[in-house]
Amino acid sequence: MVCQAPGNQQCWHNTELSYELCCSTEQGGSSSSCWHGSWFTEEFCCYPLPQTSWTCFDRWYDKVVGKKEDMDMALDLGQQAASSSQQEGLQLMGRYAQHYARLLHLPLMLWFDACRTPTSPLLWDATERCHCCAPPDDLCRTGTDAVMVPDFARCCFPVYARTHSELPDLRLDASIQAHLGSLKASRRQLVEEGPRLVWDMGNHAPRGCLVSVAGDGQLHACEETHACSSFDCSYLRALLLNLEVIQGYRQLPELDLILNAGDVTLHDAGDLPTFTRTGTSWATRSFALPFEWQLHPGQCHKQLIQ
């Protein structure tokens, strides 16, 4: 489907760029002028894709081929359409057909189209013709109300998959142990006392939210109405989405943590360690997690594009 080239073959197919120009130090590569956008990066292009990602890409490619074939057939049959509304519909379909032709010509655009949102039909539509890809046809059966489908976590993070398979970061492990190793809170304390914590911020009062990974890998979290009774719980949702991405590559061990999903953590919660967002931790027993846009894959992509 794409040319055989070093690194990530998608990046060089049907472009003037090459692995030698952008990545090979022996031939003057690693040029910053090569990289632009949220996908065309050195980390994504200069290393081979994991096999899982290739399998996903081949599946998306076949769906786009099937979708375009159906649209081309419909356009051929509709050439004699008489009414203006029918002509407008055919023109719109023609624009979509051109879009899908570009995706097949430039694999990197196809990758971005599939992975730009956790609910892309290319990820969850199980049909070979992608009936729910825009514009959806009469055979489209949505059937997905989930925030994220499994293929998003499994397929759309090849850089994370590659770095995850490398040797452990010993300095990071040592830093984690330095921050958390001396904590004596028991699981019983977290489960029983954590949800009773309240941080009074005047106009809102976030409550302690117990987030757990069970032995079977299932994620469990408190209700949003408990954690964020008077404000948007987007930070909790971003954290859970991020954990699902990690689970897509390697199952997390059993764990429990208490999250303050509010804006700030002004005071300690006794002996209980509390996790909160970066830049808002003013208490000695609270631990900073990344910013929301760094946790949420969709927000992260948008930030990189901007």
Side-chain angles (χ1 to χ4, degrees), residues 18 25 27 31 35 69 71 74 84 117 133 137 146 150 167 174 183 191 199-200 209 218-219 243 252-253 292:
S18 65
T25 55
Q27 300 189 37
S31 170
W35 315 122
E69 288 176 350
M71 296 179 76
S84 58
T117 171
C133 288
D137 58 39
L167 294 175
L183 296 177
V191 172
W199 292 270
D200 186 0
C209 179
Q218 293 297 309
L219 294 174
L243 291 175
L252 289 165
E292 181 177 328

Side-chain angles (χ1 to χ4, degrees), residues 100-129:
Y100 288 124
R102 286 194 295 271
L103 296 187
L104 296 176
H105 183 71
L106 295 171
L108 196 60
M109 285 183 60
L110 172 53
W111 184 278
F112 176 76
D113 204 69
C115 290
R116 62 182 174 178
T117 171
T119 55
S120 168
L122 281 172
L123 299 176
W124 56 260
D125 189 327
T127 65
E128 294 180 355
R129 321 299 285 190

